[in-house]
Amino acid sequence: MTGVPAPPHPPSSVPARPGRVSAGVCHGTLGELYQGPLRHGAGERDIAIVSFPVELHSWVYFTPGEDDPAGPRGAPPLGEKARAAAGLFLDRFGLVLPPGRLSAHSDLRVGVGMASSTADVVATLRCLFRVFSLPYDPAAVTAILSSIERADSVFLDEFALYLSARHRVVRRLGRSVGFHTAYVREPGTVDTSAVTPLLLRHYRRRAEEYGRCLTDLLKGFSAADPAAVARAATDSAVLSQEVLPKGTFEALLAHRGEFGADGVFVAHTGSLAGFLFTRRPDPFVKDDVSAFFRSLGHQCSFAQGGYG
């Protein structure tokens, strides 16, 4: 199967051509395969995530010239966080943006658990490295992200156990696991910062269960066993249901075997929930899953997640 593809070369290895459009692209997520507590340093507990990369993207373009003649009519400008990232980039490298226009496009919905703002920031920075023909600098990307928001690990092209508030990669988990997904977006959004105290209290109560879940997940990644990863992701979603419940979750959990799904995933601090399949579901399964989600009052979406 095809997951999120690795770029064929570092973003800066092909210099931007004078007078031509430059672009930066970053994939988003379908929530997380794990979100829970992790002790670090002197034993302090923090929120750790294993983001679930998805084959959906944010794009940022720079078109030279005042009128952006090459850009689509009405192309949206950068959002607030992406604009902040552009300003920090220019300050960091002592640069001035040449005449032209930065514009954006995204597959990713805002505020539902698809890492839309982080993907916008990373796409902006990748675009600017191209504009100025600078070597791509992952450390600069991380430093700029840390000045703007807690982030998902979408700046990596592999799975990772990641402390989102500290912008720290705890363990790289590779590219050997991938899934097909069927998912829904429930109404509403979640303010991650606002619910952090609630999550930390829940994590303290369920520390032992989260520890087992994370151990099983990491073993699944080490063994390149997507079915084991799917089981651990389901356990993480079940634990999340206790603190930030999804309206469709219990039905998904009860009916996953009916559709041959290997697990259930959620955006732990978002509004996505869906099935994990280690093999591509055939058209008849897609028909049945779509009808099932519609019976719950939601439109089904399909996407490939992960790698492998």
Side-chain angles (χ1 to χ4, degrees), residues 116-187:
S116 60
S117 63
T118 305
D120 287 349
V121 167
V122 174
T124 299
L125 298 176
R126 287 178 175 170
C127 179
L128 291 172
F129 279 115
R130 291 283 195 167
V131 169
F132 293 101
S133 299
L134 291 174
Y136 185 69
D137 184 354
V141 172
T142 304
I144 291 171
L145 271 172
S146 67
S147 299
I148 296 172
E149 64 173 0
R150 63 186 305 150
D152 296 84
S153 58
V154 294
F155 57 90
L156 299 174
D157 285 304
E158 63 179 313
F159 285 105
L161 179 63
Y162 185 65
L163 296 177
S164 59
R166 297 177 180 269
H167 300 271
R168 176 184 162 196
V169 177
V170 178
R171 185 185 301 186
R172 292 175 180 265
L173 301 175
R175 299 172 50 86
S176 61
V177 171
F179 296 101
H180 299 270
T181 73
Y183 68 95
V184 298
R185 179 177 60 88
E186 297 185 0

Side-chain angles (χ1 to χ4, degrees), residues 6-307:
H9 43 65
S12 62
S13 64
V14 180
R17 293 168 291 180
R20 299 294 183 92
V21 174
S22 299
V25 185
C26 183
H27 67 263
T29 68
L30 290 179
E32 303 81 23
L33 297 178
Y34 173 84
Q35 180 173 307
L38 185 70
R39 290 191 179 278
H40 60 90
E44 183 181 354
R45 185 182 285 110
D46 208 341
I47 297 176
I49 61 175
V50 177
S51 292
F52 185 20
V54 65
E55 182 72 345
L56 298 168
H57 299 84
S58 287
W59 290 261
V60 170
Y61 301 99
F62 178 76
T63 307
E66 298 292 345
D67 297 326
D68 190 19
R73 186 179 299 276
L78 300 190
E80 179 181 352
K81 291 181 179 179
R83 289 197 306 273
L88 290 168
F89 178 96
L90 297 173
D91 290 344
R92 183 182 183 94
F93 292 101
L95 298 168
V96 176
L97 196 66
R101 181 170 182 263
L102 286 164
S103 60
H105 176 80
S106 185
D107 295 331
L108 309 172
R109 291 185 176 270
V110 176
V112 302
M114 301 186 83
S116 60
S117 63
T118 305
D120 287 349
V121 167
V122 174
T124 299
L125 298 176
R126 287 178 175 170
C127 179
L128 291 172
F129 279 115
R130 291 283 195 167
V131 169
F132 293 101
S133 299
L134 291 174
Y136 185 69
D137 184 354
V141 172
T142 304
I144 291 171
L145 271 172
S146 67
S147 299
I148 296 172
E149 64 173 0
R150 63 186 305 150
D152 296 84
S153 58
V154 294
F155 57 90
L156 299 174
D157 285 304
E158 63 179 313
F159 285 105
L161 179 63
Y162 185 65
L163 296 177
S164 59
R166 297 177 180 269
H167 300 271
R168 176 184 162 196
V169 177
V170 178
R171 185 185 301 186
R172 292 175 180 265
L173 301 175
R175 299 172 50 86
S176 61
V177 171
F179 296 101
H180 299 270
T181 73
Y183 68 95
V184 298
R185 179 177 60 88
E186 297 185 0
T189 60
V190 176
D191 182 339
T192 303
S193 298
V195 300
T196 294
L198 179 68
L199 291 173
L200 290 174
R201 288 195 296 272
H202 172 65
Y203 295 162
R204 284 193 291 270
R205 290 194 300 268
R206 291 294 202 172
E208 185 176 341
E209 291 90 339
Y210 274 108
R212 286 196 297 267
C213 176
L214 182 56
T215 296
D216 291 344
L217 186 84
L218 296 179
K219 285 180 179 178
F221 275 110
S222 295
D225 183 348
V229 172
R231 290 192 295 271
T234 303
D235 292 340
S236 183
V238 169
L239 288 165
S240 175
Q241 185 71 1
E242 296 178 11
V243 62
L244 291 174
K246 308 289 187 293
T248 58
F249 183 77
E250 298 302 333
L252 267 66
L253 195 64
H255 290 272
R256 58 181 167 161
E258 177 182 336
F259 304 113
D262 297 276
V264 177
F265 73 94
V266 298
H268 291 65
T269 50
S271 55
L272 305 175
F275 291 126
L276 295 167
F277 298 90
T278 58
R279 296 184 178 182
R280 181 187 297 275
D282 66 36
F284 302 105
V285 171
K286 287 185 173 182
D287 292 343
D288 291 341
V289 170
S290 297
F292 168 69
F293 281 139
R294 179 51 63 93
S295 73
L296 299 177
H298 300 286
Q299 173 60 44
C300 179
S301 296
F302 299 103
Q304 291 177 315
Y307 310 89

